[in-house]
Amino acid sequence: MLYFSFIYPHLLYGVEVYANTSKSLLKRLMVLNNKILRVLQMQPRNVLTVQLYKMYNTLPIPELHNYQILLLVHKLLYHSNKLPAAFDTYFVPNSAVHSYSTRSSSDLHSLYPQTAVGKKLIKFKTSQLWNKLPDQLKQIRSPNSFKLQLKNYLLNKIC
């Protein structure tokens, strides 16, 4: 309860923005989070951090960033009325680009930036993350069910 009351909300706030930086800049925050999890769970230093996250059923900061971005895409695709109008044209599904049915019609239309900064853009990153999801996850329309399935998928992926 301590972790999810005092630490987790601070990590979650703005993670879509601040976690888009390089891993070297996030390293201090990730190490601190790992230490907090280790202390709260009374685990020795040699316990793998993956086990710490699994015990608390939470995600490391980079995966938490991906999780929040994918929740945004899901909201946009299936519940766009819950987002501001500015997001209406932010992501373009492939079905809107092609007039015929394709294998990737449930994917987002991908942009291909030429620079390293362009690859950090939310528009590019989102389409890459969404397109890598399994089709059964992309088809879930319920927000709660999607959150649960996505979290399990990302937790299993880090192992």
Side-chain angles (χ1 to χ4, degrees):
M1 284 176 50
L2 286 171
Y3 181 78
F4 287 103
S5 296
F6 295 112
I7 307 300
Y8 190 74
H10 291 284
L11 291 176
L12 202 57
Y13 182 76
V15 72
E16 300 90 350
V17 178
Y18 77 78
N20 203 21
T21 188
S22 66
K23 285 186 180 182
S24 62
L25 292 175
L26 270 181
K27 185 173 176 137
R28 285 179 50 196
L29 183 60
M30 292 185 329
V31 168
L32 181 61
N33 191 43
N34 293 345
K35 284 181 183 177
I36 291 169
L37 286 172
R38 191 169 280 117
V39 167
L40 289 174
Q41 295 176 34
M42 294 180 263
Q43 297 293 327
R45 281 191 74 146
N46 62 351
V47 171
L48 296 174
T49 57
V50 172
Q51 291 175 343
L52 297 172
Y53 287 100
K54 277 204 157 226
M55 282 188 222
Y56 270 33
N57 195 30
T58 189
L59 297 165
I61 295 170
E63 290 302 316
L64 191 60
H65 171 69
N66 295 343
Y67 175 73
Q68 288 298 114
I69 287 176
L70 288 167
L71 289 180
L72 175 68
V73 175
H74 185 266
K75 261 188 204 172
L76 180 78
L77 293 176
Y78 297 117
H79 307 284
S80 59
N81 58 337
K82 294 181 180 180
L83 291 173
F87 287 104
D88 286 348
T89 59
Y90 205 71
F91 308 114
V92 180
N94 276 344
S95 58
V97 174
H98 303 291
S99 59
Y100 47 89
S101 181
T102 63
R103 283 183 298 224
S104 59
S105 61
S106 64
D107 290 350
L108 292 177
H109 188 67
S110 294
L111 303 170
Y112 295 102
Q114 302 298 317
T115 63
V117 173
K119 290 179 181 174
K120 291 224 175 247
L121 290 174
I122 293 291
K123 281 187 177 188
F124 174 73
K125 205 168 188 178
T126 336
S127 63
Q128 298 299 308
L129 289 171
W130 183 261
N131 295 346
K132 288 179 184 175
L133 284 179
D135 285 336
Q136 64 266 21
L137 264 177
K138 291 182 204 175
Q139 304 305 322
I140 299 173
R141 293 195 179 271
S142 165
N144 292 333
S145 180
F146 181 74
K147 282 181 184 180
L148 181 65
Q149 296 291 330
L150 179 62
K151 191 173 201 176
N152 289 335
Y153 171 76
L154 292 173
L155 271 172
N156 289 331
K157 197 173 123 181
I158 64 170
C159 295

